[in-house]
Amino acid sequence: MVEVARDVVQQVPKVAGAGDMFQLLRDGKPRTRADLAAVTGQARSTVAARIDLLMAAGLIAPAGEATSTGGRPPATFAFAPSAQVVLGVDLGATHARLAVTDLASTVLAHREMPLLITDGPRAVLDRVAETGRELLREAGRSTAELAGVGVGLPGPVEHATGRPNNPPIMPGWDDADVPGILGERFGAPVLVDNDVNIMALGEHRAAWPGVADLLFVKVATGIGAGIIADGALRRGAQGSAGDIGHVAVPGVTDVVCRCGNVGCLEAIASGQAVATQLEGATTPADVVAMVRAGDVTASQAVRQAGRDIGAVLATSVSLLNPSMIVIGGALADAGEHIVAGIREVVYQRSLPLATQHLRIVTARTGTQAGVLGASAMAADQALSPEAVDRLVA
C-alpha cells in the first residue's frame, strides 16, 4: 500500500498536520496507518491521532481491511466525499447552470435555466441563491453542510477578490462584491473565476486528470482559453491569462473588435462572428444547426474560423507546449469542422517537437464543464490543508 502513495510523497512535508496528511487520502484509495506513517515520516501514534481527528470531522471513513502479512489484517481508511457538499454555479450571458455536488464533484442535484446577466448582480445573485437553496433541499442537504460555493462569470474576474473587472457584456457588474453577496446568503466561503477557467478545470478533472499540460479553448459568443500547466490552473498576475480572443489574427487589418482594436480573433472567428457572415443565422446555435443540416456555406465558414483560431493557437503551442488542446463552447458542437480547421494550421505552423504528441479534441464534458469546474474550485478550497486543519481544530 505504501507504493500507491509515492506519487504524492514529494507534496507532503515530513512533519505535517492533519490537513497535509489528508491530501494523501483525497485520491480515494484506501491506506493503512502504516502506509501513512511511512509516507509522512511520522510516528504511528501521531498518524493514529490525526486519523481520529479526520474521522471525527467526517472527512475519512474506514474502508475495510488490507491484506494481512501475518496476524490481524490492518484497517484501511479512505476519503469520504459525502461528508459535505459544495454548490457550483456557471453563469453565462443568457443562462445559468447550478449543481450541488459532494466533495469529489459527483452531482447530487442540477438545474439549468434561462437568466440574463444584464439584469445586474443583485437580481442574478438573488436568483442564484434561491435556486441553490432549492437544489440543497432536493439533494437532501442543508446549508450547514455547505462547504463552499464556486462561481464562474462570463467576463474578466480578479480571482483574489472575486470581483468582476470591467466585464464588457455585464453592465452593472464592475467591482460587484459577488463573494460578499453570496457569502451572506449561504454562510459559506465563495470563490469566483471567469467562465473559461472553470470550464478548463472541470474538463481537466472530469475527463483528462492524467494530462498535466492542457489548453481549453471556449468558442462561443466570444473566445477564451483556460491554461492547465503542471496539473494546475494558471490564471496569471491579474487573472487574465488565456485571453486569446483579443490576440490579433495574422494578416487581418480591416475587422474592428468590440474592445476597440483591429483584427482580434474574437471579432473574426467566434460563434457570433461566424453567425454574422451567414444568411439566416443570428447566434452560434443557429450556425451549429445549419452545419448539422448539411449547409455547405456554414460548414466552410466554421472550418475557416477553425483555421483562424489555429493561427493564434500555433503561437500558444510554441509558448506553452501543451500535450492536449480541448475545444469547447457552443461552436464546438459543429463537430469536426472547427477542429479540422484548427488542426490544419496548428500542425502546419508549429514545430514538430511541439506537435508530435499533441492531441486536439472536442470537450467531453459538454455543457457540464462549468459547473463541474466551479464545484472543483470550491472543493479544493474547502479541502486545502489549512481549511482541514481549521475544521478539525
Side-chain angles (χ1 to χ4, degrees):
M1 290 297 295
V2 175
E3 291 295 321
V4 298
R6 287 188 175 173
D7 58 332
V8 288
V9 171
Q10 298 302 319
Q11 302 173 24
V12 180
K14 282 296 181 181
V15 178
D20 284 305
M21 192 176 76
F22 171 72
Q23 305 309 309
L24 290 169
L25 296 160
R26 277 195 65 182
D27 61 7
K29 296 178 182 178
R31 293 182 171 86
T32 66
R33 294 181 180 89
D35 295 337
L36 295 169
V39 171
T40 62
Q42 297 172 345
R44 290 281 293 272
S45 58
T46 301
V47 168
R50 287 173 177 165
I51 284 176
D52 289 343
L53 287 173
L54 293 171
M55 288 184 63
L59 292 175
I60 65 172
E65 297 177 336
T67 302
S68 174
T69 57
R72 182 178 177 181
T76 64
F77 304 88
F79 178 34
S82 61
Q84 294 177 299
V85 294
V86 296
L87 175 64
V89 182
D90 174 23
L91 297 177
T94 59
H95 73 269
R97 298 185 182 96
L98 292 85
V100 170
T101 79
D102 66 13
L103 293 174
S105 294
T106 300
V107 176
L108 307 177
H110 177 263
R111 184 82 52 83
E112 182 173 347
M113 58 191 181
L115 190 152
L116 294 176
I117 202 74
T118 53
D119 286 343
R122 282 290 172 183
V124 169
L125 297 179
D126 281 348
R127 184 81 180 279
V128 165
E130 177 185 351
T131 305
R133 285 192 289 266
E134 291 174 1
L135 290 175
L136 283 168
R137 289 192 292 269
E138 186 179 321
R141 312 302 286 257
S142 69
T143 53
E145 298 172 276
L146 187 63
V149 180
V151 182
L153 295 177
V157 174
E158 186 178 12
H159 182 68
T161 64
R163 292 173 179 255
N165 187 354
N166 293 315
I169 65 168
M170 301 170 62
W173 284 81
D174 184 38
D175 203 38
D177 186 11
V178 179
I181 295 171
L182 288 180
E184 182 181 341
R185 307 297 173 83
F186 287 111
V190 178
L191 293 177
V192 186
D193 208 335
N194 73 66
D195 57 350
V196 185
N197 278 347
I198 64 166
M199 291 176 73
L201 186 60
E203 177 76 11
H204 179 246
R205 294 288 180 85
W208 313 101
V211 176
D213 298 282
L214 178 150
L215 189 63
F216 182 93
V217 182
K218 177 187 176 183
V219 188
T221 304
I223 298 178
I227 302 167
I228 304 291
D230 297 326
L233 181 64
R234 306 300 179 183
R235 298 182 174 90
Q238 275 74 48
S240 63
D243 192 7
I244 64 170
H246 298 286
V247 173
V249 177
V252 178
T253 60
D254 58 347
V255 180
V256 179
C257 180
R258 59 182 170 83
C259 73
N261 287 324
V262 175
C264 291
L265 179 63
E266 183 174 296
I268 295 160
S270 67
Q272 196 60 50
V274 174
T276 62
Q277 302 169 27
L278 300 173
E279 185 177 349
T282 57
T283 68
D286 295 334
V287 175
V288 171
M290 293 173 70
V291 171
R292 289 179 173 176
D295 187 297
V296 175
T297 302
S299 298
Q300 290 175 338
V302 169
R303 181 147 187 160
Q304 182 56 48
R307 294 188 186 101
D308 292 329
I309 294 168
V312 170
L313 288 182
T315 301
S316 302
V317 167
S318 297
L319 184 66
L320 300 172
N321 190 207
S323 59
M324 178 170 285
I325 297 176
V326 181
I327 309 300
L331 212 59
D333 292 337
E336 281 295 305
H337 294 285
I338 189 166
V339 174
I342 292 171
R343 288 175 180 149
E344 177 185 333
V345 177
V346 168
Y347 291 138
Q348 177 186 348
R349 296 195 181 183
S350 300
L351 290 175
L353 180 62
T355 59
Q356 62 178 335
H357 300 300
L358 175 66
R359 297 175 63 189
I360 303 176
V361 300
T362 53
R364 290 182 174 179
T365 52
T367 59
Q368 299 303 302
V371 289
L372 292 175
S375 161
M377 179 173 65
D380 284 349
Q381 172 76 3
L383 297 177
S384 68
E386 298 78 15
V388 171
D389 283 337
R390 288 194 299 269
L391 181 65
V392 304

